[in-house]
Amino acid sequence: MRAEPVNPDLSGFDYIYAGDEFCERCLPDDKTISGFARRCAENGTRLTLVTSYFTGEGIDRLKILLDYVILNSIVCELVINDWGVFELLESYPASFRVIAGRLLTSRYLSKFHYQGSKNAGEQAGSGDFYYSFPQDFLVFLKSMDVSALEFNNPSHLLKTRGQLTENNLKAHIYFPYYYLNTSRYCSCARGYGAYLHNVDDACNKECNSLASVRKDAYLNTDMLSIGNTHFVKEKKSIEDLGLDADRIIYNDPFC
Amino acid sequence: MKITAPFDTVAEVEELIQAGADELYCGVNTALWREKGIFSNARHMFYGNLSSFEELESALSLAQKRRVPVFLCLNDYFSEGAFQLAVKDVTRATAIGVDGFIIADINLIPHIKKLNNLSRIILSSLTPCFNYSALKFYKKLGIDRVVLSSVQLSLREIERLASEARDIQIELEVFVNNANCKNINGYCLFHSLDYKPFLKSFYKYRYACILACLKRAVSLAPGWLRHRIGRILWSFRRLFELPCRRAYSIEVLRKGPAGYIKDKKIKTAALERHFSSHICILCSVYFFIKYGIAAGKICGRGSVTIKKVRDIRFMRLFMDLIKDGLVTEANLSGYGRRNHDFIYGINCRNKLCYHLSISKNAEF
């Protein structure tokens, strides 16, 4: 969630995700994170702070926020999507449960995976060659105290579940929308009619109330744009996909 | 500032060095990779890569005679099997004396250092770096130079990063030409197979990619030929656009008390197409030199040699003018345009000038 909902129905949820992995401007401020923490306490849910990739200004803001979180004893997990945040965390040893975000993990396997059709990997009939994370990567993440990996695409999770279990790493997956790309040029700020380079305060977080659907004759499905990011919806249900995730992060903005 | 230029054939190495390249980089896609149907770097095109280490060795001997370092691109993310192939490539390239590696996957660093501690390691923009904290992180891992995605960053942000990089003694490199995508390439899955299930015809899409390359080549042909062929290609324009450059029809949804409702419809044909193909960064070289950026990278593996030579000559000429003190902040656009006319033989008509619009945060 980018902003604290006015009246959220949290029944059935174990975690609230505060923040956004695609835009540093959606990093909650101290007031918002307190509101999220209060809401979690009322509903018996836990809090996860999602961080994005950051510019210098953004990482300065994150440092202020983390100082506030520590000072006010707010318990939360941290989803990291920028290697720089690992460096920052050296100032906060063992303060957070760390999760490697999908921006750090998705590109490893995305060009090899494709569900429901033949691709290079399937044709060669050598699953492990194409469908596993490099073992060095998982060892590196463990050395950085990462406890879980986020997945963007169900296909990635299905093929690497065993490898993660062997390495004692948890798997979290976003569902039903998975992202295709992101940019520092945001068209949302101008009602999707023009692009704005996201470098100053001209953005008023229009993405909290605006979304867009992109249609094209070449596509089997529509793309959803929220802010600076394009998503595609997974058509199959969780049961049909046979997802074996430790956590499913429900990210449907229309519900 | 050094000029870092791409090459994809041995024959063009000499020409590029003569044009003024200070450093060269290339990719090698050996038979091992081809058998598996994958590429060893981010340039997923056969004509954008050398095909063997023998070719690389020949290129190296030419470059070393002129004391021009050569870097090998392994700038992609790998699955376990592909990672092992990449490690083999590192071993082979180190043995024949490559000066360094351009990588995206930080897990390759220990393997490179183990084989030759003096090999220079350049972190590709495919592992994005937008802040000082990330710079420190990469420095600790053993990275010597970080490539910034200059299109994604404003001049103010690059200036800040440059000053922080100086403090921790890590070099920065920026794209100066032919980097024109609005998406962050390190986080983009548009060109991966993840996108494939949503395309009605993957082969049409591949065909479109080939035509896009053809179009680029045609744009360098003599004027009369360009005009004629260009018109024919233009009639097939629906096939040219990559997924990130397509002219989508957009339905804007606004959040109301009862959920999202349709607000308006926009056709983005001109916007998307224009944005994706015309960002030019060349004039900002003036500022990059001022900030102490170590190298300016010319993208374009797979381009024809004449295009690469022109890009290098443009940079070299502009840098010489800056060095002679002729170019100032006030007149750099004028010099940039004059230079453009002189080298490329056509007027600079870029509406998306990084210097004039993006770096100053204009809306477009």
Side-chain angles (χ1 to χ4, degrees):
Chain A
M1 293 175 184
R2 292 180 175 208
E4 191 190 351
V6 183
N7 185 23
D9 176 16
L10 297 174
S11 57
F13 292 102
D14 300 313
Y15 291 85
I16 292 183
Y17 274 51
D20 184 82
E21 63 260 68
F22 303 109
C23 183
E24 65 181 26
R25 293 183 184 283
C26 296
L27 184 74
D29 56 15
D30 48 5
K31 194 178 155 194
T32 315
I33 200 79
S34 297
F36 271 115
R38 194 175 55 248
R39 186 80 65 176
C40 285
E42 286 165 6
N43 289 277
T45 52
R46 280 168 279 182
L47 182 62
T48 303
L49 176 61
V50 185
T51 60
S52 64
Y53 52 89
F54 289 105
T55 61
E57 284 177 20
I59 210 135
D60 291 344
R61 282 208 298 275
L62 177 66
K63 193 168 179 349
I64 293 168
L65 179 68
L66 293 182
D67 286 339
Y68 179 85
V69 165
I70 299 284
L71 192 69
N72 290 276
S73 308
I74 295 173
V75 179
C76 67
E77 301 172 323
L78 204 59
V79 175
I80 296 178
N81 284 292
D82 184 325
W83 291 114
V85 179
F86 283 102
E87 176 67 27
L88 194 66
L89 280 188
E90 287 194 358
S91 317
Y92 309 92
S95 303
F96 301 96
R97 182 171 178 265
V98 177
I99 299 163
R102 58 175 157 168
L103 291 184
L104 296 185
T105 62
S106 293
R107 286 217 38 153
Y108 275 93
L109 304 173
S110 59
K111 69 173 180 285
F112 305 111
H113 281 247
Y114 170 48
Q115 203 179 10
S117 175
K118 283 186 179 176
N119 67 6
E122 285 163 346
Q123 283 163 4
S126 171
D128 285 347
F129 183 93
Y130 297 95
Y131 297 142
S132 323
F133 282 111
Q135 190 58 30
D136 290 34
F137 176 58
L138 300 182
V139 170
F140 180 71
L141 289 181
K142 294 281 282 184
S143 74
M144 304 300 289
D145 290 330
V146 170
S147 59
L149 269 72
E150 282 191 347
F151 284 82
N152 184 46
N153 184 325
S155 162
H156 297 193
L157 173 59
L158 287 166
K159 302 274 172 52
T160 55
R161 191 69 185 91
Q163 193 192 14
L164 291 188
T165 310
E166 278 171 22
N167 285 279
N168 200 21
L169 285 161
K170 304 262 186 225
H172 302 169
I173 186 156
Y174 284 84
F175 187 84
Y177 283 91
Y178 61 90
Y179 95 92
L180 281 176
N181 68 20
T182 186
S183 169
R184 290 200 71 220
Y185 296 92
C186 186
S187 59
C188 182
R190 291 293 178 268
Y192 294 99
Y195 284 100
L196 186 75
H197 194 194
N198 194 7
V199 292
D200 75 350
D201 294 328
C203 154
N204 292 310
K205 296 187 181 172
E206 290 85 352
C207 51
N208 286 332
S209 58
L210 276 184
S212 74
V213 176
R214 287 172 175 245
K215 294 170 187 285
D216 184 76
Y218 268 71
L219 294 177
N220 286 319
T221 183
D222 295 342
M223 264 196 300
L224 175 72
S225 301
I226 297 179
N228 57 352
T229 308
H230 299 327
F231 300 87
V232 170
K233 190 175 185 178
E234 174 60 55
K235 285 177 181 169
K236 289 181 183 170
S237 69
I238 294 172
E239 292 75 24
D240 289 345
L241 287 166
L243 286 179
D244 179 21
D246 296 294
R247 189 183 299 174
I248 291 167
I249 305 153
Y250 190 65
N251 65 346
D252 191 343
F254 298 114
C255 290
Chain B
M1 191 165 84
K2 289 172 182 163
I3 300 173
T4 308
F7 71 95
D8 37 66
T9 61
V10 181
E12 66 188 4
V13 168
E14 195 73 40
E15 213 171 329
L16 298 179
I17 296 172
Q18 268 176 14
D22 299 306
E23 297 172 343
L24 295 172
Y25 68 94
C26 67
V28 178
N29 212 53
T30 60
L32 276 175
W33 292 90
R34 292 199 293 271
E35 270 170 29
K36 299 287 182 186
I38 49 177
F39 285 85
S40 63
N41 56 71
R43 211 66 168 177
H44 294 184
M45 46 176 77
F46 292 110
Y47 56 90
N49 287 285
L50 301 177
S51 55
S52 70
F53 275 98
E54 285 72 30
E55 283 187 3
L56 178 60
E57 214 168 350
S58 310
L60 266 173
S61 68
L62 288 173
Q64 281 168 352
K65 274 183 204 159
R66 305 287 293 267
R67 297 190 178 181
V68 172
V70 175
F71 302 115
L72 177 66
C73 286
L74 285 167
N75 58 337
D76 210 342
Y77 291 87
F78 306 111
S79 63
E80 173 61 18
F83 187 79
Q84 297 310 326
L85 284 187
V87 172
K88 273 184 192 169
D89 278 9
V90 167
T91 312
R92 183 81 197 273
T94 307
I96 61 172
V98 151
D99 297 276
F101 296 90
I102 302 174
I103 61 162
D105 186 349
I106 52 179
N107 301 297
L108 279 173
I109 299 169
H111 296 275
I112 297 170
K113 290 283 174 196
K114 196 172 140 191
L115 288 162
N116 181 2
N117 205 28
L118 296 175
S119 269
R120 292 180 58 74
I121 306 179
I122 301 173
L123 190 70
S124 160
S125 65
L126 279 155
T127 300
C129 177
F130 298 140
N131 63 69
Y132 62 92
S133 202
L135 280 178
K136 277 188 204 165
F137 182 81
Y138 299 138
K139 173 75 182 173
K140 278 185 190 171
L141 290 178
I143 298 286
D144 298 299
R145 187 191 287 176
V146 173
V147 183
L148 300 180
S149 181
S150 36
V151 175
Q152 297 292 334
L153 292 159
S154 67
L155 275 179
R156 195 182 65 194
E157 288 164 344
I158 292 175
E159 186 179 13
R160 179 176 169 176
L161 275 168
S163 116
E164 286 155 350
R166 254 195 314 276
D167 294 343
I168 58 168
Q169 294 179 324
I170 189 167
E171 287 183 356
L172 293 185
E173 180 175 320
V174 291
F175 289 129
V176 287
N177 206 347
N178 307 327
N180 54 14
C181 188
K182 65 179 177 296
N183 298 313
I184 301 173
N185 59 357
Y187 300 139
C188 183
L189 308 178
F190 246 150
H191 301 278
S192 74
L193 291 171
D194 283 353
Y195 184 70
K196 195 173 160 186
F198 310 113
L199 288 167
K200 282 184 179 162
S201 166
F202 185 65
Y203 296 101
K204 267 189 189 172
Y205 162 67
R206 293 304 294 266
Y207 182 52
C209 294
I210 292 163
L211 278 175
C213 299
L214 186 64
K215 190 183 161 196
R216 174 70 61 89
V218 166
S219 70
L220 294 161
W224 64 272
L225 186 63
R226 184 168 65 228
H227 185 68
R228 284 189 186 174
I229 302 176
R231 280 185 72 127
I232 297 166
L233 289 176
W234 181 247
S235 62
F236 295 107
R237 62 190 181 279
R238 287 289 292 174
L239 291 173
F240 296 151
E241 292 132 15
L242 299 169
C244 39
R245 301 179 187 187
R246 296 199 59 76
Y248 295 99
S249 156
I250 296 182
E251 267 180 21
V252 179
L253 309 173
R254 190 173 289 280
K255 199 175 190 177
Y260 280 93
I261 49 163
K262 278 182 196 174
D263 191 43
K264 57 182 173 179
K265 235 179 181 181
I266 302 170
K267 280 272 184 189
T268 61
L271 180 72
E272 296 282 342
R273 201 175 294 137
H274 180 67
F275 192 105
S276 302
S277 54
H278 291 89
I279 303 172
C280 179
I281 316 168
L282 287 169
C283 291
S284 296
V285 166
Y286 173 84
F287 294 99
F288 299 151
I289 292 173
K290 192 173 150 190
Y291 301 156
I293 302 287
K297 181 175 190 164
I298 294 171
C299 303
R301 280 190 288 142
S303 296
V304 290
T305 308
I306 190 172
K307 163 77 175 148
K308 291 173 192 154
V309 168
R310 280 176 185 171
D311 289 346
I312 296 168
R313 281 182 58 212
F314 182 96
M315 275 277 289
R316 180 56 65 202
L317 190 59
F318 202 48
M319 281 166 63
D320 287 345
L321 289 170
I322 293 167
K323 201 175 161 187
D324 294 343
L326 293 171
V327 177
T328 63
E329 211 164 315
N331 69 12
L332 70 94
S333 276
Y335 268 104
R337 284 182 184 178
R338 219 174 300 161
N339 230 353
H340 195 282
D341 298 353
F342 177 62
I343 300 290
Y344 295 104
I346 47 170
N347 292 333
C348 168
R349 286 175 296 180
N350 277 301
K351 288 178 184 171
L352 275 184
C353 170
Y354 176 83
H355 166 62
L356 291 177
S357 55
I358 295 167
S359 67
K360 292 182 180 166
N361 196 30
E363 183 185 312
F364 42 87

